């Protein structure tokens, strides 16, 4: 047995034979030609045909993976229409008196090197796209079509790298999994693989050659591993894992794409809670309508230094882009209490849960807060980002936050940096916020109830202390009454309200929340479909 590791693009277990995917080598020779104008025309005709193929791929991707992910083929069309690209090809043909193949290959290399050298991650990833369009035109010019899968049975595709067009063109019924040696988690191929719900790994430390070709293997997408010729004991474990995964998938298949609507037509938004951009795969796999809580403090906890604006921006941008226009609610850092970060150099406190945490740190150390806000607003140009502030106890805090946000926006305006419309909400997780929720509702766009902290502060029970479990009643009427009060106050002021604490995933309370009129539940991704099932089986009017 050999075990190779890669970066997980999408979870799930795939078992089957490996098929190493080799691109058809398009050998490009430099040839002198006599009639440059005829060669330019030959190029233009090939380019026109490539445009038509890309339109076909766009239409196919639109059906299979949705508009946002199909957009890559529109980008490819735009690249092929780019004046600089076309002038470069035609110029090489005319001035060097060479064949169109050579001119396209040279232009493709030059442009992709130029993109690869750029500072911006997104632009760097476009190097692969320029190569992809150049390969397409070359294929048409030389009459060599793209490689096909050399297998009739479903296989695990192992490749050095895969261009987005190669991924989309493959017959999905024959693909169990993608495993590539190169490729980034940000690449469109990775995004496509996630959207297709195919277990996939990139950056895997194996060789895409005869050492693995044709061998039986198991891909554990979530663990980022591929087992080639696994032994019996490993196989047993993996089969069990696959069984669990399949049961979950079965539920998913029947409910995926369906609305979260009750029998009498009441809608509920079902969003996902994440702590990390690595969780995105399961968000999409479980058909979340958006992200209702991104616990951004994990970005701080994973490092031994304050994350820079750029580091944060790239993470938020990736999340926004992957969610492709769906709402992404990012909570500003909630350090303190059980989440301690050494480099914040906080003084030791007698009672950290009631100490300097969350928004209290942000308001006393605005330079840290502003760095995060700048990153968030910048990322809002790439998707539908909303910001949510934790541990609020007063209207004054919200006004202070708004003043800081106004400063950040003014700075971005002065620098000519774009940002989108950003909804701003607060977490309701202290009894104080509940009691003044009518006043707070006038200040913000939405509420999200953090029942984990709300329960601990209402019942005066430390959520970390397992010895108090017998006293801890998550269904305590005090908490449920508070939720009802918050929903009523929010609706009176015309704002929406969700629950992002663990209680939101409690299936025993789903009907109660529907009755109260809760607009959104944000839960760990795996809980979305079980919730959808209950919602669709409920008639609120008859409760
Ligand atoms: C909550 O308190 O319910 C919540 C969602 O925030 P966290 O669990 O991160 O404190
Ligand atoms: Mg909380």
């Amino acid at each position: 047995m050999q075990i190779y590791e890669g970066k997980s693009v999408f979870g799930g277990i795939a078992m089957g034979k490996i098929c190493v995917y080799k691109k058809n080598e398009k050998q490009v020779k430099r040839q002198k030609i006599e009639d440059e104008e005829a060669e330019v025309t030959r190029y233009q005709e090939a380019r026109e045909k490539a445009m038509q193929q890309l339109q076909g791929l766009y239409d196919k991707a639109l059906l299979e993976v949705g508009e946002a992910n199909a957009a890559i083929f529109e980008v490819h069309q735009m690249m092929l229409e780019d004046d600089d690209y076309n002038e470069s090809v035609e110029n090489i043909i005319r001035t060097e008196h060479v064949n169109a193949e050579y001119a396209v290959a040279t232009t493709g290399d030059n442009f992709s090197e130029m993109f690869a050298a750029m500072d911006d991650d997104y632009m760097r990833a476009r190097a692969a796209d320029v190569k992809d369009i150049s390969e397409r035109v070359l294929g048409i010019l030389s009459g060599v079509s793209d490689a096909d899968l050399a297998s009739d049975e479903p296989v695990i595709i192992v490749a050095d790298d895969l261009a987005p067009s190669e991924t989309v063109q493959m017959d999905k019924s024959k693909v169990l999994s993608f495993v590539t040696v190169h490729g980034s988690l940000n690449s469109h191929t990775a995004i496509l693989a996630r959207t297709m719900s195919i277990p996939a790994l990139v950056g895997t430390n194996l060789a895409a050659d005869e050492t693995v070709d044709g061998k039986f293997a198991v891909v554990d997408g979530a663990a980022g591993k591929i087992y080639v010729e696994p032994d019996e004991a490993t196989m047993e474990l993996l089969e069990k894992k696959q069984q669990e995964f399949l049961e979950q998938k079965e539920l998913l298949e029947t409910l995926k794409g369906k609305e979260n609507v009750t029998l009498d037509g009441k809608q509920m938004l079902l969003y996902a809670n994440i702590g990390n951009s690595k969780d995105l795969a399961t968000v999409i796999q479980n058909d979340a309508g958006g992200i209702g809580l991104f616990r951004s403090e994990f970005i701080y906890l994973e490092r031994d230094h304050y994350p820079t604006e750029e580091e944060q921006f790239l993470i938020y941008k990736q999340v926004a882009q992957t969610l492709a226009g769906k709402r992404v609610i990012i909570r500003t850092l909630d350090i303190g209490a059980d989440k301690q970060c050494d480099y914040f150099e906080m003084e030791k406190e007698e009672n950290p849960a009631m100490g300097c945490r969350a928004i209290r740190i942000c308001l006393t150390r605005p330079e840290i807060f502003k760095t995060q806000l700048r990153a968030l607003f910048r990322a809002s140009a790439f998707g539908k980002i909303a910001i949510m502030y934790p541990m609020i106890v007063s209207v004054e805090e919200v006004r202070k936050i708004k003043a800081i946000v106004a400063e950040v926006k003014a700075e971005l305006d002065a620098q000519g940096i774009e940002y989108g419309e950003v909804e701003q909400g607060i977490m309701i997780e202290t009894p104080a916020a509940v009691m003044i929720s009518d006043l707070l509702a006038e200040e913000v766009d939405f509420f999200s109830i953090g029942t984990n902290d709300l329960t601990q502060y209402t019942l005066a029970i430390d959520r970390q202390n397992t010895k108090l479990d017998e006293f801890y009643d998550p269904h305590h009427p005090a908490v449920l009454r508070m939720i009802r009060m918050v929903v009523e106050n929010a609706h009176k002021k015309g704002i929406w309200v969700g629950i992002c604490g663990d209680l939101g995933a409690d299936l025993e309370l789903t009907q109660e929340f529907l009755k109260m009129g809760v607009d959104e539940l944000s839960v760990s991704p795996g809980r979305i479909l079980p919730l959808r099932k209950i919602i669709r089986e409920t008639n609120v009017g008859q409760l």
Side-chain angles (χ1 to χ4, degrees):
M1 169 169 80
Q2 291 102 41
I3 307 172
Y4 302 99
E5 291 192 17
K7 288 186 220 145
S8 165
V9 170
F10 196 77
I13 303 272
M15 297 182 177
K17 230 165 70 176
I18 291 179
C19 173
V20 171
Y21 177 87
K22 286 264 175 241
K23 293 179 202 299
N24 279 339
E25 286 293 314
K26 290 163 188 127
Q27 288 284 351
V28 176
K29 288 210 185 86
R30 188 176 198 273
Q31 282 168 345
K32 283 272 170 204
I33 44 113
E34 301 280 308
D35 187 348
E36 293 88 17
E37 289 321 304
E39 201 63 7
V40 166
T41 307
R42 198 163 77 85
Y43 164 65
Q44 284 167 346
E45 283 168 2
R47 193 180 69 94
E48 202 38 58
K49 201 159 168 212
M51 292 289 283
Q52 287 164 10
Q53 287 183 354
L54 286 166
Q55 187 58 43
L57 284 173
Y58 175 83
D59 295 341
K60 186 167 192 285
L62 192 63
L63 290 177
E64 288 179 356
V65 291
E67 193 176 348
N69 290 307
I72 182 62
F73 299 112
E74 279 184 326
V75 174
H76 281 194
Q77 284 177 317
M78 264 151 44
M79 282 177 161
L80 259 185
E81 279 179 328
D82 179 65
D83 285 345
D84 291 333
Y85 183 91
N86 287 308
E87 277 165 21
S88 166
V89 175
E90 293 175 17
N91 197 40
I92 291 174
I93 296 174
R94 290 197 177 106
T95 56
E96 298 184 34
H97 317 289
V98 287
N99 54 331
E101 286 88 338
Y102 178 80
V104 170
T106 308
T107 301
D109 286 347
N110 290 345
F111 275 63
S112 85
E113 269 171 37
M114 182 175 77
F115 279 114
M118 288 187 176
D119 284 337
D120 183 288
D121 263 6
Y122 179 80
M123 294 310 281
R124 263 205 304 277
R126 301 290 70 76
D129 295 319
V130 181
K131 269 217 142 69
D132 200 6
I133 57 160
S134 306
E135 286 286 318
R136 175 168 306 285
V137 179
L138 275 178
I140 295 167
L141 283 168
S142 57
V144 179
S145 61
D146 281 315
D148 240 341
L149 291 184
S151 170
D152 289 334
E153 60 179 315
V155 284
I156 295 168
I157 304 288
V158 171
D160 272 327
D161 206 351
L162 286 167
S165 55
E166 289 169 323
T167 328
V168 161
Q169 265 165 248
M170 283 175 188
D171 175 357
K172 298 315 161 310
S173 64
K174 287 193 204 159
V175 180
L176 297 169
S177 165
F178 292 120
V179 177
T180 65
V181 179
H182 304 288
S184 78
L185 288 173
N186 271 325
S187 67
H188 279 279
T189 304
I191 296 173
L192 286 173
R194 281 185 206 118
T195 320
M196 287 171 195
S197 305
I198 297 175
L201 313 179
V202 295
T204 318
N205 61 348
L206 49 56
D209 59 20
E210 59 289 347
T211 53
V212 294
D213 198 21
K215 291 189 177 163
F216 178 80
V218 182
V219 179
D220 184 344
K225 290 193 175 131
I226 172 165
Y227 301 81
V228 179
E229 298 183 322
D231 58 33
E232 225 171 280
T234 311
M235 202 53 206
E236 214 169 284
L237 276 175
L238 291 168
E239 270 168 354
K240 208 165 143 232
K241 227 172 160 179
Q242 188 186 36
Q243 190 53 35
E244 285 165 14
F245 180 76
L246 288 177
E247 279 166 18
Q248 168 75 8
K249 207 168 163 205
E250 222 167 274
L251 186 64
L252 189 139
E253 292 308 324
T254 57
L255 291 168
K256 216 172 165 175
K258 300 241 167 92
E259 279 188 282
N260 311 308
V261 61
T262 62
L263 294 171
D264 49 345
K266 217 169 158 8
Q267 299 270 354
M268 175 80 99
L269 298 171
L270 289 182
Y271 290 173
N273 290 352
I274 62 167
N276 201 301
S277 54
K278 291 192 201 104
D279 300 337
L280 287 174
T282 56
V283 171
I284 289 168
Q285 188 178 22
N286 288 285
D287 203 19
I291 288 174
L293 168 63
F294 179 170
R295 290 181 161 99
S296 73
E297 58 274 12
F298 284 99
I299 300 172
Y300 295 73
L301 293 166
E302 282 162 3
R303 288 173 170 69
D304 58 5
H305 62 271
Y306 291 104
T308 62
E309 179 184 320
E310 198 59 22
E311 280 176 308
Q312 295 191 58
F313 164 67
L314 291 174
I315 296 169
Y316 304 145
K317 184 176 102 171
Q318 185 197 357
V319 177
Q321 280 178 331
T322 307
L323 267 284
K326 290 180 179 159
R327 195 186 261 138
V328 174
I329 304 176
I330 302 181
R331 171 174 77 184
T332 56
L333 73 101
D334 187 5
I335 294 289
D338 51 321
K339 295 172 208 147
Q340 293 293 338
C341 214
D342 287 348
Y343 59 86
F344 272 70
E345 294 180 351
M346 307 288 293
E347 273 175 34
K348 220 164 172 43
E349 293 174 304
E350 278 298 310
N351 213 336
M354 298 196 186
C356 196
R357 65 172 284 197
I359 204 67
R360 298 170 189 175
I361 298 181
C362 290
L363 291 176
T364 45
R365 296 169 72 176
E367 68 291 352
I368 298 175
F369 193 30
K370 279 173 99 174
T371 303
Q372 180 168 34
L373 289 172
R374 276 182 64 95
L376 286 166
F377 272 92
R378 281 174 58 199
S380 70
F382 297 87
K384 191 174 175 187
I385 283 192
I387 307 179
M388 161 160 96
Y389 306 99
M391 285 297 290
I392 296 296
V393 297
S394 72
V395 171
E396 288 67 38
E397 284 169 346
V398 178
R399 297 209 175 128
K400 279 186 194 157
I401 292 168
K402 284 182 171 173
I404 295 174
V405 166
E407 274 176 43
V408 166
K409 283 168 120 178
E411 277 169 28
L412 293 172
D413 288 339
Q415 291 173 301
I417 297 174
E418 278 185 30
Y419 52 87
E421 280 288 320
V422 178
E423 274 181 298
Q424 294 189 68
I426 53 171
M427 292 194 64
I428 303 286
E429 50 186 348
T430 61
V434 173
M435 298 313 289
I436 58 163
S437 49
D438 53 338
L439 305 177
L440 290 168
E442 289 179 1
E443 304 284 332
V444 295
D445 299 317
F446 65 93
F447 285 158
S448 188
I449 306 174
T451 51
N452 306 337
D453 278 315
L454 185 58
T455 308
Q456 108 162 324
Y457 295 126
T458 303
L459 304 185
I461 293 180
D462 179 356
R463 62 192 263 192
Q464 300 291 102
N465 188 343
T466 48
K467 283 198 210 112
L468 295 175
D469 280 356
E470 64 174 301
F471 297 102
Y472 189 92
D473 173 12
H475 294 189
H476 196 294
V479 176
L480 296 179
R481 282 189 196 187
M482 284 188 170
I483 296 173
R484 175 167 298 130
M485 182 174 173
V486 172
V487 175
E488 282 170 7
N489 282 335
H491 288 175
K492 265 188 222 154
K493 298 284 150 80
I495 65 168
W496 64 268
V497 54
I499 298 177
C500 64
D502 286 357
L503 216 54
D506 188 330
L507 300 179
E508 284 177 37
L509 291 175
T510 312
Q511 297 191 326
E512 187 68 29
F513 293 149
L514 279 166
K515 243 187 341 183
M516 287 182 192
V518 173
D519 302 291
E520 175 244 22
L521 296 174
S522 189
V523 296
S524 56
R527 306 296 285 172
I528 288 174
L529 294 170
L531 279 170
R532 177 172 297 168
K533 188 161 181 283
I534 291 206
I535 292 168
R536 293 177 62 83
E537 288 164 0
T538 299
N539 187 326
V540 185
Q542 284 176 5
L543 288 176

